[in-house]
Structure formats: C-alpha cells, structure tokens
Amino acid sequence: VSISKGQKLSAASADAQSKQSGALVDIMSNNILVRQFGQEAAEQKRISLISSMAKSAELNIRLFGEWMLIKSVLVITIGFGALMYVMVTEWQLGETTTGSLVFVLGLLLGMAYQLLFLGNAFQNGIQQFGQLRDSIKDILVTHTLVDSADACQLKISDGSFHITDANFAYGTQTVFDNFSLTISGGQKVG
C-alpha cells in the first residue's frame, strides 16, 4: 500500500514539475510576443498557479517519505528495545556475559544503521520512479501530423519546397529577415 501511494505521489510530483518546466520554456520562447500583445499578466498568473501546484506535489512526496522514515525508525526502535530488554534481563540474571551483551548491542546498532540506510534508499527510489515514469512517457509519445477529414491525398513523386529571402514582422518587431528554407520531396519537417 505504501509503495503504491509513494508511486502515485511521485508521479504527481514529476508531472507537476514537467508542466512547470514546459510552461516556463513556452513563455521564455514567446517572451517578445507575450509582452507585445499584453499577455504578460495572464502568463504570470498561469506560471504562479503551475508553480504552486508543483510545490504542493513536491511537498506531498517529501512528507510521505518523511512519514515512512518515521514509521521505520519506530519499528526499529521498538524491535531493538525489546531485544535489548531481553539481553539486559538475561545479563542481570547471570545467564549471559557482558561480552555477549556488548556484542549484541554492536550488532543491533549496525543493523539499525543499515535499515535506516535502506529506508532512505527506498524513499529516493520512489521519488526517482515518478521522474523516470514521466521521462519514459515523453519518449514513447508518437508524434504524427494528422490531415483534416476533407483533405485529399497528396501524391508527390519528386520535387521540393523553397522559400527564399522571406521577411516577416509584427509591427516594428522583425521575426524573419531574409529567411530561406528548402524542403526536399518526401521529407517531413515538424
């Protein structure tokens, strides 16, 4: 149950971070147009909302990890406390030696350290799961161009598409200046 919850929280955190990164890249790549057409306030509001969602998702996965760590420490403490109680009782009754008591104490402390290390590794693994899932999801998406329903099939046997010295501007802001492009027949550009 905890692993499943951790995976869900991790996936939500990775999704929120991915949306935040995408929105920031989108705004930065369209920075001039956003400012020119007065959309800056709306974009700032959108980024604020997306950032808030990303922070919340990250906090949820961190709190889950900390809660799992606290539960692990409690289980380790109770278990080792019971073992130490038995060992000290046997030592007081003279049924075990001081050397055995110290030896068992050393073993228990070593095991506690290893279990805490494994708990941290488990917590990090759950966080990495969401990021890996998000990356694989992005890689496996097939990008295809879909024609409209009434488009006729284009049959190209040979040829190419050329644009030479194109100029384009929004008002006084130049977007293309002497832009040239050649696309060979059968080549896909997206």
Side-chain angles (χ1 to χ4, degrees):
V1 172
S2 292
I3 292 175
S4 176
K5 182 177 181 181
Q7 288 175 342
K8 288 176 185 174
L9 289 171
S10 179
S13 176
D15 286 343
Q17 289 173 3
S18 181
K19 285 178 185 173
Q20 182 181 28
S21 297
L24 288 171
V25 167
D26 184 43
I27 287 172
M28 294 309 292
S29 63
N30 297 318
N31 194 15
I32 294 170
L33 295 174
V34 166
R35 285 187 181 163
Q36 186 172 358
F37 293 106
Q39 296 297 317
E40 192 170 358
E43 289 297 327
Q44 285 177 348
K45 185 176 178 181
R46 188 180 97 160
I47 284 296
S48 178
L49 177 64
I50 290 171
S51 295
S52 176
M53 291 168 55
K55 286 177 189 176
S56 176
E58 181 67 20
L59 180 62
N60 285 341
I61 189 65
R62 289 188 183 274
L63 288 175
F64 173 77
E66 292 300 319
W67 178 242
M68 291 299 296
L69 193 58
I70 288 170
K71 289 195 307 189
S72 297
V73 167
L74 285 174
V75 168
I76 291 168
T77 302
I78 291 168
F80 291 159
L83 285 172
M84 282 307 298
Y85 175 77
V86 169
M87 286 300 296
V88 168
T89 302
E90 287 188 6
W91 175 72
Q92 287 174 340
L93 295 173
E95 295 181 14
T96 189
T97 65
T98 303
S100 295
L101 180 66
V102 170
F103 178 71
V104 169
L105 178 62
L107 285 175
L108 291 176
L109 290 175
M111 287 173 53
Y113 173 76
Q114 292 300 321
L115 288 173
L116 287 174
F117 174 78
L118 288 173
N120 282 329
F122 176 74
Q123 178 182 356
N124 290 335
I126 285 177
Q127 288 177 340
Q128 294 299 319
F129 167 81
Q131 293 172 354
L132 179 63
R133 179 188 154 277
D134 195 47
S135 298
I136 289 173
K137 186 173 66 173
D138 288 343
I139 291 170
L140 296 179
V141 171
T142 336
H143 299 283
T144 57
L145 298 174
V146 179
D147 292 330
S148 67
D150 59 344
C152 55
Q153 183 65 30
L154 208 77
K155 301 207 189 263
I156 301 174
S157 59
D158 191 27
S160 61
F161 175 80
H162 300 278
I163 297 175
T164 306
D165 297 328
N167 297 310
F168 183 73
Y170 281 120
T172 60
Q173 183 67 42
T174 301
V175 178
F176 295 123
D177 185 26
N178 295 324
F179 176 75
S180 297
L181 174 70
T182 300
I183 302 173
S184 302
Q187 182 181 6
K188 291 183 180 181
V189 178

